[in-house]
Structure formats: structure tokens, C-alpha cells
Amino acid sequence: MAGQSVLTPQSEDFPKWYQDVVAKAEMADNGPVRGTMVIRPYGYALWERMQSAIDARIKATGAQNAYFPLFIPESYFHKEAEHVEGFSPELAVVTHAGGEELTEPIVVRPTSETVIGEFMAKWIQSYRDLPLLLNQWANVVRWELRPRLFLRSSEFLWQEGHTAHVSAQDASNYATRIHLEVYNDFLTQVLALPTFLGIKPPSERFAGATNTMTCEGMMRDGKALQMATSHELGQNFAKAFDIYYQNEEGQSALCFTTSWGASTRLVGGLIMAHGDDQGLVLPPALAPTQVVIIAVRDDDQVTEACAALRTTLSAERPYRVVADSGRGSFGRRVTDWEIKGVPLRVEVGPRDLAQGLVSVVRRDTHEQFSVAIADVPALVGDLLETMQRDMFQSALVFRDARTSDVTSLDAAIDAAQDGFARVAWEHVGVDGEARIRTQAMTVRCLQRRDGSIPHNDLEAGLIAIIAKSY
RNA sequence: CGGGAAGUAGCGCAGCUUGGUUAGCGCGCCUGGUUUGGGACCAGGAGGCCGCGGGUUCGAAUCCCGCCUUCCCGACCA
């Protein structure tokens, strides 16, 4: 019989389920300082795969990687009024170093617009230097009052892009391109996660931005998670840091800048968007291990068959395959691989083997196939592709089932208890935002009726998506 | 940062009200054996500054004070 669940069921206590998965799948631990996180090898493997998928997409848009310092002079933050106001509550500040009190405190970067702005000003001379397209992979620190592993930690890992352009239009185009071709493409194609794309209402904008675009995903408990953001910074930072260039007419002009980021929060989103009561469920495109071959018994014939199958699968096409030798009980090993979310399980046992068969099981649907050994590579290939599509599709069905179109704020509050509510932005407004906030809800994004990204919040006929969120 | 709950072996917990020699249980871990088609069983074993610091006391896991950490609910955020 199926064993009793190892994890707290989602329906019983979703936050507890999340913690159980993080612990039992060996993804992360709390660090010794409140809010810090130790990312364990399995969690880091997921992050590394996310990094390489995102990094490749970033480079395809023309940006180059660079690295800027962790320590930033405090004075930099005061150069942009909204920026300092937005970030000061979460700054970690170094006041002592080298055994002495510092004359100017040093901020541990919460984000790098300021330092990068300083150097953009230095590097940009002419319109020929533009656009300047930079990205960095780094850790940042934002002091968190209510930390949660991956979702909200005082130190987290991310990628932050920073660009400078000759015109608002060019900056806007590029930020939008990043949003669609990097973030949305990654989320839908690799993480198999449908998104709602839109812009943040002014109240939710990044501190110092003129426009913030977001990719909002829905978790299995119906709450929203902001998976990535792109900001148009207008000339706010260009003014603060003197990012000027000389145009074709020889006149000095101010740049327009952008910034955009995605963080280790994505790992939390992955867990909560696809996970079930058995643990993680990984989309094949992301999974560090796509196929686990399980020896049902620790038996020479079985072990040989497993090894042969492993060689075939990892050689023929480079599937990521692991062989699990037959030590330990079968049920236990199956459960462990399920918790880790490995997409396909190939079970090799003496009974099937006698008939030249093995059993292949899908992690997402638990569907089981009895298949001739020779047919395994083809079936595995098909199933991995099918699962990638199916996982996106079922996440989409789930999301749409929990998304309601409503015509009043009352109905929106009702619908957003455990899902998303789509309501006309004009029914919300500043007063409406204050009201839904008392229900622990926010406007996650504004989008056009057809789901596309508006240029600004003043466009007529916009839809507000209201939800509780992480 | 406010309101609530809790910190005892890697994890989950009992013991605390009513202070008293070697601090228990389940799971996990180690050794040996039997097992293995959905979290196996038997036997033996290792593992504790009882969150940290101070106080009360002949004596503190237990009573008192302070701090730290975790979880839940809010305000702030990737």
C-alpha cells in the first residue's frame, strides 16, 4: 500500500508543506543569522540550471556580464530621493571596519543602480557608447522582518541587469524585450509556469522607477508570486549620477536607464507552483536529474540491466540520468526520488526483466507504463517532452480555474481569497488599493484586456489583477 | 517592527504545574544478520553545555529576569 505521507499535506497546512519539502528534498537550511539561508547542493543545482537558462537568454539580447562591489558608499543612496526612501528600512550598514569606526558608513548592496550608475557616467561619453547593456550575478542584502527560505531571505542571489539608452523609447523597448524574451520565455518554456504580465500600479513600483513590469505566477494555494521584474528608470538615476552622453549634434544629453532582475525566489516559486503532496515536481527542462533508474532488488542481473540502460540513455541523447542501486527498501527509495521531483522513474525488477520489460512512471501524473527495454529511450524522450508541455498546461488550467473576472471591488475581494480577481482598474483606484490592503491583498499588476503589457497606468480600460501574495 | 506560540539527540515530541542522583520515547544514524515490486524486520550501539547569559536555591530542563532563534498572523519587500 502507498505509505502514509511523509510531508504535511498541502490542504492541511500549505506553509508547513512548503517547509517540509525544502527540508526533505534537501534544498536549504536556515543560516545561523536570522533570515539567512544555506542553499544545499540539490537546491543549488536547481538554481544553477535556472542561472544558465536565464544567462543564455540575457546574452542573446546583447547584454554582457560584469561585476560591481558588494560595498557601496552610503552617500550614493542619498543621490536619488525615492530610492533612498524605499530602501533605507532594509539596508544593512557597515559602520566599523579594520578595528575603527568608518568616517562614511558603507551600505551592503540591496541592489546596484547607484554604483553602476556612477560607473556608467564614467564610461559613457558619446551616443556611440549606447546602449550600454550590463548584467551581474550577485548576492544582495535586504534586511527581512519575516523571512522564508527562498521566498524572502535577508541575503539572496540574483541577476541584476542595468542598461543605459539614448531615448525613453529605446529604454522601454529594451526593458520590455528582457521581460518577454528573457523572463517570460524562461518561466513558460523552462519552468512550465504560466504568467500574468503587466505593470505595477504606482504604489507597487520599484523605488526610483518610472515604470515597473512584472511576471506574476500563481502558486498552488492561489496566492501570487512576483517571479521577475523589469524597470524603466527614466532619467531619475541618470540625473542623480550624471549619466550624460554627447549626441550627434555635439550636445550633451541625459541617458535613460533600465534595471531588471530575477532571484533565488524563483526556486520557491518552482516548489509552490508545481509541487504536490509527494513533494517537488520538476519540469524536465529544468530537472538536474531527469530520469532515475531504480533497481527494484540488489541483484546482479538487475544491476547490470540498470547500468546498461543508464549508458544508453545518457549516451544516445544527453538525458540527465542517475542509477539507484538496489540497496535499501524499494518503497523508501521511490519516495525519496518523488520528494526530489525527478520527472521520470524507470523501475527495473526481476519479474519484468524476465519478459524483457521495465516500468516507467511519470512524476507529474503518476502514470505508469510497462515497456520493452529496447523502447525505453524513445519513450523517455517522448515523455520528457510531453511532460514539459503537460505541466505548463495543467498549471494554466489550475490558474485559470482560480482566476475570476469580476465587476466590483466586493466581488474581487471575495474572489481573491484563494485566487486571482480581474477587475477594471477604474473600480480600484487609490481608495480601492487601501481597502484591499486591509484584506491582505494587493494589485499584482495592471494589464490590457487582452493580457498585453500597457505602457503606463493611465491607459484607458486597464484590468487590475488582485490577489494575496508572497 | 507589533500580536500570538514555541525552543530538550539530525527530525518529531514527553518530562516542567508540585526543583531532588545515570533526562526519556518515536523516527533517522552506525554495526551484524534477514530482507527488498510503494517509507521492511530482528539484535546490538552511538549520539544531549535541556537555545544563550544571569539570578534564586544545598540542588534548576523544571522557578525568576534579559537576550537569541524558529513558526503563525499583520505592516514592509525580489
Side-chain angles (χ1 to χ4, degrees), chain A residues 240-466:
Chain A
F241 291 91
D242 295 324
I243 312 176
Y244 287 94
Y245 67 97
Q246 210 168 42
N247 64 22
E248 290 175 71
E249 287 79 46
Q251 297 153 332
S252 184
L254 260 186
C255 288
F256 290 81
T257 64
T258 79
S259 68
W260 26 279
S263 73
T264 37
R265 170 177 276 189
L266 287 170
V267 178
L270 171 73
I271 297 168
M272 294 197 296
H274 291 306
D276 63 20
D277 284 352
Q278 279 68 51
L280 264 183
V281 181
L282 298 178
L286 183 79
T289 297
Q290 295 170 304
V291 183
V292 57
I293 301 170
I294 300 188
V296 169
R297 286 164 168 273
D298 189 9
D299 160 294
D300 284 352
Q301 250 190 325
V302 170
T303 312
E304 266 175 48
C306 287
L309 202 49
R310 195 189 106 93
T311 308
T312 311
L313 283 178
S314 45
E316 210 161 280
R317 276 189 271 171
Y319 298 126
R320 298 183 287 278
V321 185
V322 162
D324 180 338
S325 72
R327 275 188 297 278
S329 84
F330 174 71
R332 174 53 188 261
R333 289 179 288 131
V334 166
T335 311
D336 284 346
W337 288 110
E338 269 180 342
I339 291 173
K340 294 205 165 179
V342 174
L344 286 177
R345 194 164 77 236
V346 179
E347 300 175 359
V348 182
R351 268 198 326 250
D352 287 348
L353 209 52
Q355 306 169 61
L357 299 174
V358 295
S359 186
V360 176
V361 188
R362 282 175 65 158
R363 175 64 184 86
D364 60 337
T365 58
H366 298 98
E367 226 177 324
Q368 194 155 344
F369 308 83
S370 194
V371 55
I373 292 181
D375 297 336
V376 170
L379 179 67
V380 162
D382 286 350
L383 283 177
L384 290 175
E385 282 174 31
T386 307
M387 287 178 69
Q388 186 73 30
R389 283 197 303 273
D390 287 359
M391 284 183 66
F392 178 85
Q393 203 54 37
S394 66
L396 185 63
V397 167
F398 176 86
R399 184 194 78 174
D400 288 347
R402 289 219 188 187
T403 302
S404 320
D405 283 289
V406 297
T407 53
S408 74
L409 204 52
D410 286 326
I413 288 171
D414 199 45
Q417 292 302 329
D418 61 351
F420 290 5
R422 298 178 84 245
V423 64
W425 174 223
E426 64 228 40
H427 290 335
V428 186
V430 176
D431 291 345
E433 282 194 86
R435 207 180 131 204
I436 61 174
R437 216 176 287 271
T438 65
Q439 307 293 308
M441 296 168 186
T442 48
V443 173
R444 303 310 303 162
C445 69
L446 304 175
Q447 55 178 214
R448 296 195 183 121
R449 203 159 278 279
D450 66 0
S452 64
I453 306 176
H455 289 303
N456 61 59
D457 59 293
L458 302 174
E459 276 187 31
L462 292 183
I463 297 294
I465 295 180
I466 293 175

Side-chain angles (χ1 to χ4, degrees), chain A residues 88-391:
Chain A
S88 48
E90 13 181 8
L91 293 183
V93 182
V94 180
T95 56
H96 290 72
E100 290 184 13
E101 185 166 355
L102 298 169
T103 51
E104 182 188 347
I106 293 168
V107 169
V108 181
R109 67 173 164 228
T111 179
S112 304
E113 277 75 5
T114 58
V115 233
I116 294 182
E118 180 82 5
F119 284 84
M120 281 179 163
K122 185 173 172 183
W123 297 336
I124 295 168
Q125 306 286 323
S126 142
Y127 70 94
R128 295 177 199 277
D129 297 323
L130 296 173
L132 179 58
L133 309 175
L134 300 172
N135 178 63
Q136 81 166 341
W137 288 93
N139 59 335
V140 284
V141 169
R142 297 181 187 180
W143 218 250
E144 278 300 336
L145 304 173
R146 191 179 165 188
R148 272 155 92 47
L149 288 172
F150 290 116
L151 298 173
R152 208 190 274 110
S153 49
S154 287
E155 179 192 7
F156 58 91
L157 307 182
W158 77 346
Q159 144 285 309
E160 52 177 319
H162 297 269
T163 66
H165 305 260
V166 292
S167 68
Q169 189 59 53
D170 192 41
S172 175
N173 289 347
Y174 191 78
T176 307
R177 184 176 174 198
I178 290 289
H179 210 63
L180 297 175
E181 294 178 23
V182 177
Y183 298 141
N184 196 52
D185 190 70
F186 167 76
L187 289 167
T188 56
Q189 301 305 306
V190 180
L191 289 199
L193 248 173
T195 53
F196 279 121
L197 303 178
I199 59 172
K200 288 290 183 185
S203 60
E204 302 277 329
R205 250 182 228 148
F206 175 76
T210 58
N211 187 32
T212 289
M213 285 175 270
T214 177
C215 296
E216 297 287 325
M218 185 191 282
M219 306 295 106
R220 299 292 299 183
D221 60 353
K223 289 195 188 177
L225 184 70
Q226 178 175 308
M227 311 286 292
T229 48
S230 308
H231 315 290
E232 292 171 43
L233 304 173
Q235 295 178 311
N236 294 343
F237 286 87
K239 275 180 204 149
F241 291 91
D242 295 324
I243 312 176
Y244 287 94
Y245 67 97
Q246 210 168 42
N247 64 22
E248 290 175 71
E249 287 79 46
Q251 297 153 332
S252 184
L254 260 186
C255 288
F256 290 81
T257 64
T258 79
S259 68
W260 26 279
S263 73
T264 37
R265 170 177 276 189
L266 287 170
V267 178
L270 171 73
I271 297 168
M272 294 197 296
H274 291 306
D276 63 20
D277 284 352
Q278 279 68 51
L280 264 183
V281 181
L282 298 178
L286 183 79
T289 297
Q290 295 170 304
V291 183
V292 57
I293 301 170
I294 300 188
V296 169
R297 286 164 168 273
D298 189 9
D299 160 294
D300 284 352
Q301 250 190 325
V302 170
T303 312
E304 266 175 48
C306 287
L309 202 49
R310 195 189 106 93
T311 308
T312 311
L313 283 178
S314 45
E316 210 161 280
R317 276 189 271 171
Y319 298 126
R320 298 183 287 278
V321 185
V322 162
D324 180 338
S325 72
R327 275 188 297 278
S329 84
F330 174 71
R332 174 53 188 261
R333 289 179 288 131
V334 166
T335 311
D336 284 346
W337 288 110
E338 269 180 342
I339 291 173
K340 294 205 165 179
V342 174
L344 286 177
R345 194 164 77 236
V346 179
E347 300 175 359
V348 182
R351 268 198 326 250
D352 287 348
L353 209 52
Q355 306 169 61
L357 299 174
V358 295
S359 186
V360 176
V361 188
R362 282 175 65 158
R363 175 64 184 86
D364 60 337
T365 58
H366 298 98
E367 226 177 324
Q368 194 155 344
F369 308 83
S370 194
V371 55
I373 292 181
D375 297 336
V376 170
L379 179 67
V380 162
D382 286 350
L383 283 177
L384 290 175
E385 282 174 31
T386 307
M387 287 178 69
Q388 186 73 30
R389 283 197 303 273
D390 287 359
M391 284 183 66

